[in-house]
Amino acid sequence: MTPTEAQHKIIALSTELEQHNYNYYVLDHPTISDYEFDKLLEELIALEKQFPEFLSENSPSQRVGGQITKNFQSVKHQYAMLSLSNSYNQEDLLDFDRRVKEGLGLDAVSSSEVKNDSKPQTSLFDAPFLDSARNDIKTKNEIEYVCELKFDGLSISLIYEDGQLKQAITRGDGVQGDDVTTNAKTIKSIPLKLKGHYPAKFEIRGEVFMPRPVFDAINKEREEIGDALMANPRNAASGSMKMQDSAQVAKRKLDCFLYYVLGDGLPHQSHFDNMHAAKTWGFKISEDAKLCSGINEVIDFINYWDKKRFDLPYDIDGIVIKVNNYNQQQNLGFTAKSPRWAIAYKFKAEQVSTELLSIVYQVGRTGAITPVANLQPVALGGTTVKRASLHNADIIEKLDVRVGDFVFVEKGGEIIPKIIGVDLTKRKPNTEPTQYITHCPECNTELKRDEGEANHYCPNENECPPQVIGKMDHFVSRKAMNIDSLGGETLVQLYNAGLVKNIADLYDLKKEQILPLERMAEKSANNLIEGLEASKQVSFERVLYAIGIRHVGETTAKKIAKKVKSLDVLIHSTKEELLAIDEVGEIIAISIADFFANQKNKDIILRLKQAGLQFELSEEQQQSGSDKLKDLTFVISGVFAKHSREHYKEMIELHGGKNSGSISKKTSFVLAGDNMGPEKLKKAESLGIKLINEDEFLEMLN
Ligand code: IVH
């Protein structure tokens, strides 16, 4: 290929890929399969490697990340990033509307003139606005407002020049923020190149956020491997944007809605129209924004979203109300802190007060202690609440919560309600401050708390019952040793009967020992023993995940296994060697070293080895790994003749592919055996996903 041909091809591929990105991440309407997309991207990356002179800084290849930012540059905003003043109830909103009208010299009807026989409402949530009262304030001079969702993430300012993303800056202190351009490029809904008729230079602001399902999935994985959980999607989003490695940011699957455009030469004289224009340039603009005539329609919008917000796949913490017309905005101007033409309405979390009956302390699989409040049952947000999290010792001390107190319980974005305060007017005499426990409620070991950590934990990891059972539960789980004949209840029975005290004991179990257990039939006992026997063939990488080294998740275990090839090598690896492995940072390296420094762990590993578990990569794995299935996602369904499903799964991973349990638009192929489920078949057909049989699959690898 000549350089000119390459240049043309690179431009064509980039344009095509950006369009597909837009279809997928902005319109939510993909027009090619992930497989085809990845092929195009691969082609682009290969060409850019061969002809680096044509690699542009906004190529779609930059979205995968990889660049490291050691220190984010602090840059001054061209236009200060102001915040909004807040409103919390009907009164505040009517005041805002009155101020706007007064500011514009319009004939306002003040809220005090509104005929309203009922008591003043203090919160939208406490009681709906009264239509009768609101009808009275309909006047001829209604202001046109735009109502938007108030996305709960971190605000970002994007600068475009000649249709190219030049810079992405965080809010910072409003005057100066951090240049996070490299990280912003990994957010697929942020266009790197614009379409249509855009101004030569402009700035557009919006909110970077983490969708709920992404947040839940990351936390689930963290919980599995004993990592600290992320508090909420907002913190997760802002934490992610500040990560130094943009490849890690790319994995956080952040998203971004835009809601404010600034600059000379904007096509329209109103906010709403310009946002529509921005949509045609390629930005992700919320479909839920609404043009409202007058404050009454604003209030209807707020009432609607107060209930509906829980159905959104991302968090919002209120509604933003903006005067639509730019002339009016200009006339109103700004205060030192915020525009006079806009206001935020903050949703109120539902709150109730109830009695705290007792505090119990739960011990998790990783030994973390969670204090839980038992409450006098009370209705809140459509469910009866009996328990609430008290988080940790500091929070109990800060709130000075005591048993017998009446506490305020709130249900925010979190599923588990939380205690946010004590009703001191109802405090009974002679109550004592809560003394946090000093010893484990399960095994009586003295609790520890690490420097800088919020939670206490029980260090007796190999003997404390919930920790031991939790470890075994993890060991037998599907992604680990996959012994499905050995469920959680059976493990508890085995533990209580004194038959197993650690994962190695499982392999000493005899059928005669388990038969006497309650509800244990001959067949289940056989299955259990067979399941254990079969698990001896489970690959090294999964064994490494199963033994439960803190912070070593499924992906990390795979990376380590691939690199070290055997447990012996891992045990003798230095910290530097560990740190050189992809995905392994300081915390994981220390955790691995600590694990193998513990004699009890060493004994368990030795026994597992003697039992015949795989502690090194198989010959096949060592020799035949490849990237042939890189970036492909397979769903395996049905029964196969040549190899087992498990074997196919491993082959897919061995060759760089991914396995998934359910068919979606992300699926590249369905590897279909006999008797594939009719539902799966229908879904694959409706999404146009290709089915292949085992011969075709094996062919792909040759
Ligand atoms: S407009 C000058 N619109 O809320 C007006 N802000 O306290 C600029 N936010 O810092 C802001 N959704 O991070 C605007 N639809 C929306 C918003 C929104 C969320 C955030 C933004 C801002 C804060 C205001």
Side-chain angles (χ1 to χ4, degrees):
M1 194 182 280
T2 67
T4 319
E5 281 168 356
Q7 186 178 22
H8 287 152
K9 187 76 194 165
I10 285 176
I11 293 172
L13 281 169
S14 301
T15 313
E16 191 180 351
L17 283 162
E18 263 316 82
Q19 180 64 39
H20 288 308
N21 253 329
Y22 176 75
N23 293 346
Y24 192 124
Y25 293 100
V26 180
L27 302 182
D28 198 16
H29 186 79
T31 45
I32 57 165
S33 71
D34 279 16
Y35 176 63
E36 285 166 303
F37 182 91
D38 292 342
K39 283 273 158 224
L40 293 175
L41 185 59
E42 247 171 52
E43 195 182 342
L44 175 67
I45 292 172
L47 273 177
E48 287 175 343
K49 227 182 201 162
Q50 204 185 338
F51 298 93
E53 63 273 33
F54 303 131
L55 167 65
S56 82
E57 59 182 13
N58 281 334
S59 161
S61 60
Q62 302 308 295
R63 292 201 180 278
V64 284
Q67 229 171 302
I68 310 280
T69 315
K70 275 269 172 271
N71 289 305
F72 294 105
Q73 286 285 340
S74 177
V75 277
K76 196 166 182 299
H77 291 292
Q78 193 188 345
Y79 311 90
M81 278 183 92
L82 300 177
S83 66
L84 297 173
S85 53
N86 290 325
S87 62
Y88 300 94
N89 53 49
Q90 179 180 11
E91 285 290 292
D92 293 348
L93 289 166
L94 294 175
D95 278 350
F96 168 69
D97 186 49
R98 201 184 50 233
R99 283 197 307 274
V100 167
K101 284 175 174 165
E102 278 170 7
L104 296 174
L106 294 172
D107 155 31
V109 178
S110 75
S111 61
S112 57
E113 287 170 45
V114 172
K115 284 195 209 77
N116 187 347
D117 300 334
S118 69
K119 281 185 289 184
Q121 303 298 335
T122 49
S123 142
L124 287 171
F125 204 91
D126 293 343
F129 292 113
L130 291 177
D131 282 339
S132 58
R134 304 213 327 260
N135 284 337
D136 289 341
I137 52 170
K138 280 227 162 103
T139 73
K140 48 195 181 306
N141 292 323
E142 295 296 16
I143 302 290
E144 200 169 60
Y145 291 113
V146 181
C147 284
E148 293 169 3
L149 306 184
K150 188 172 184 311
F151 309 102
D152 201 7
L154 75 148
S155 42
I156 192 139
S157 191
L158 307 174
I159 297 165
Y160 286 83
E161 276 173 33
D162 298 322
Q164 302 268 351
L165 173 65
K166 278 284 164 244
Q167 211 172 25
I169 315 171
T170 61
R171 189 179 119 88
D173 62 5
V175 177
Q176 258 176 220
D178 286 341
D179 181 332
V180 289
T181 315
T182 312
N183 287 349
K185 283 184 185 174
T186 69
I187 302 176
K188 308 273 198 355
S189 49
I190 294 182
L192 305 181
K193 288 180 188 161
L194 303 181
K195 307 182 290 166
H197 303 288
Y198 43 77
K201 186 172 187 301
F202 67 96
E203 204 167 317
I204 189 162
R205 293 181 180 170
E207 201 84 354
V208 171
F209 63 96
M210 182 178 280
R212 264 274 159 199
V214 175
F215 173 80
D216 290 341
I218 294 179
N219 258 358
K220 193 167 162 235
E221 160 93 18
R222 289 186 161 221
E223 191 171 13
E224 268 282 298
I225 61 173
D227 273 359
L229 298 190
M230 301 187 294
N232 54 50
R234 179 178 7 95
N235 290 2
S238 59
S240 303
M241 277 310 271
K242 288 184 189 126
M243 293 201 290
Q244 296 187 329
D245 180 357
S246 58
Q248 293 300 322
V249 185
K251 285 191 191 155
R252 296 292 181 95
K253 298 186 184 150
L254 300 172
D255 206 337
C256 181
F257 275 120
L258 285 310
Y259 47 63
Y260 185 32
V261 55
L262 303 104
D264 300 325
L266 297 179
H268 303 286
Q269 265 308 301
S270 71
H271 172 64
F272 199 68
D273 288 347
N274 276 332
M275 292 323 291
H276 266 271
K279 194 171 169 182
T280 67
W281 307 335
F283 292 104
K284 180 160 172 157
I285 312 291
S286 168
E287 294 287 331
D288 295 313
K290 192 175 172 237
L291 199 54
C292 294
S293 173
I295 203 74
N296 292 340
E297 285 188 25
V298 169
I299 290 166
D300 288 340
F301 185 90
I302 290 174
N303 276 338
Y304 175 83
W305 282 106
D306 194 19
K307 306 237 154 37
K308 272 285 180 196
R309 65 188 152 127
F310 299 107
D311 298 342
L312 292 167
Y314 45 82
D315 287 0
I316 61 171
D317 61 340
I319 298 294
V320 177
I321 302 124
K322 301 173 182 169
V323 170
N324 187 31
N325 184 295
Y326 279 178
N327 285 329
Q328 292 183 334
Q329 284 193 4
Q330 213 170 13
N331 285 337
L332 289 162
F334 295 82
T335 69
K337 282 197 229 125
S338 53
R340 289 202 189 86
W341 46 264
I343 196 163
Y345 172 84
K346 295 276 223 161
F347 290 130
K348 198 165 179 232
E350 197 183 358
Q351 252 181 37
V352 283
S353 144
T354 189
E355 191 178 353
L356 172 60
L357 302 177
S358 63
I359 298 175
V360 293
Y361 297 85
Q362 289 177 345
V363 188
R365 178 174 86 77
T366 55
I369 308 290
T370 314
V372 176
N374 282 321
L375 304 167
Q376 182 64 41
V378 62
L380 178 67
T383 53
T384 304
V385 174
K386 299 185 192 117
R387 287 148 76 80
S389 172
L390 275 165
H391 301 284
N392 56 51
D394 288 347
I395 291 194
I396 293 180
E397 196 184 318
K398 197 172 120 212
L399 296 175
D400 185 21
V401 193
R402 306 177 183 193
V403 171
D405 274 347
F406 274 78
V407 291
F408 296 111
V409 185
E410 184 175 293
K411 217 171 182 180
E414 302 81 18
I415 314 237
I416 304 161
K418 59 180 178 209
I419 291 179
I420 50 148
V422 175
D423 187 350
L424 290 177
T425 62
K426 291 194 185 159
R427 173 160 284 171
K428 296 163 195 151
N430 307 326
T431 57
E432 292 286 329
T434 300
Q435 294 294 330
Y436 204 81
I437 50 167
T438 52
H439 289 74
C440 176
E442 298 281 346
C443 68
N444 211 28
T445 303
E446 191 173 353
L447 299 180
K448 282 196 170 165
R449 182 177 176 180
D450 290 339
E451 185 86 22
E453 288 286 327
N455 284 90
H456 286 74
Y457 71 95
C458 166
N460 188 17
E461 57 173 324
N462 287 316
E463 273 143 36
C464 177
Q467 295 192 65
V468 173
I469 294 171
K471 271 200 171 66
M472 290 196 278
D473 226 359
H474 170 74
F475 183 77
V476 302
S477 67
R478 198 170 50 84
K479 289 178 180 169
M481 304 304 279
N482 192 22
I483 312 174
D484 58 5
S485 50
L486 194 47
E489 261 177 58
T490 315
L491 283 175
V492 175
Q493 274 183 303
L494 290 169
Y495 179 82
N496 288 341
L499 292 172
V500 288
K501 289 197 178 63
N502 59 51
I503 51 178
D505 290 343
L506 290 169
Y507 291 92
D508 291 340
L509 282 173
K510 303 273 173 302
K511 191 174 151 191
E512 312 78 77
Q513 291 176 302
I514 49 183
L515 265 177
L517 295 180
E518 221 176 302
R519 294 187 305 277
M520 181 62 73
E522 174 94 20
K523 188 154 184 277
S524 327
N526 284 337
N527 285 345
L528 202 161
I529 298 291
E530 279 166 23
L532 281 163
E533 198 52 37
S535 75
K536 293 179 185 171
Q537 299 313 318
V538 164
S539 61
F540 168 49
E541 57 195 42
R542 284 181 33 200
V543 175
L544 186 57
Y545 170 61
I547 56 177
I549 305 173
R550 213 181 174 119
H551 309 302
V552 175
E554 211 192 346
T555 324
T556 313
K558 273 183 199 152
K559 294 255 156 107
I560 296 175
K562 219 169 165 183
K563 186 84 185 179
V564 301
K565 300 194 169 63
S566 79
L567 195 80
D568 281 341
V569 175
L570 181 63
I571 294 176
H572 297 108
S573 292
T574 62
K575 194 171 146 195
E576 285 65 37
E577 284 165 338
L578 291 174
L579 286 172
I581 304 173
D582 199 16
E583 297 256 338
V584 176
E586 194 82 14
I587 293 176
I588 298 180
I590 292 174
S591 172
I592 294 173
D594 283 354
F595 184 89
F596 293 115
N598 181 327
Q599 189 55 43
K600 282 182 184 152
N601 289 334
K602 276 197 217 159
D603 293 344
I604 289 172
I605 298 291
L606 186 67
R607 286 176 59 206
L608 291 175
K609 210 167 175 183
Q610 282 162 352
L613 268 61
Q614 305 296 319
F615 277 113
E616 50 190 62
L617 291 183
S618 65
E619 289 280 306
E620 194 184 7
Q621 281 179 315
Q622 296 212 26
Q623 284 161 15
S624 62
S626 81
D627 274 351
K628 281 182 184 152
L629 307 180
K630 189 167 168 264
D631 299 329
L632 295 185
T633 302
F634 288 80
V635 172
I636 303 184
S637 181
V639 188
F640 299 90
K642 293 195 171 151
H643 299 282
S644 70
R645 285 166 67 108
E646 276 313 310
H647 190 86
Y648 279 123
K649 270 193 184 166
E650 281 174 14
M651 279 165 100
I652 288 169
E653 289 186 356
L654 189 57
H655 294 281
K658 270 191 238 143
N659 286 294
S660 162
S662 59
I663 299 175
S664 72
K665 52 191 181 194
K666 289 198 177 283
T667 310
S668 321
F669 292 103
V670 176
L671 174 52
D674 287 341
N675 298 331
M676 176 177 168
E679 281 305 313
K680 278 209 167 125
L681 196 58
K682 228 166 79 191
K683 183 125 194 229
E685 275 168 6
S686 74
L687 291 173
I689 287 155
K690 193 163 179 220
L691 302 185
I692 50 169
N693 62 30
E694 55 186 326
D695 289 329
E696 287 169 306
F697 174 76
L698 294 169
E699 194 51 41
M700 279 174 98
L701 296 181
N702 287 324

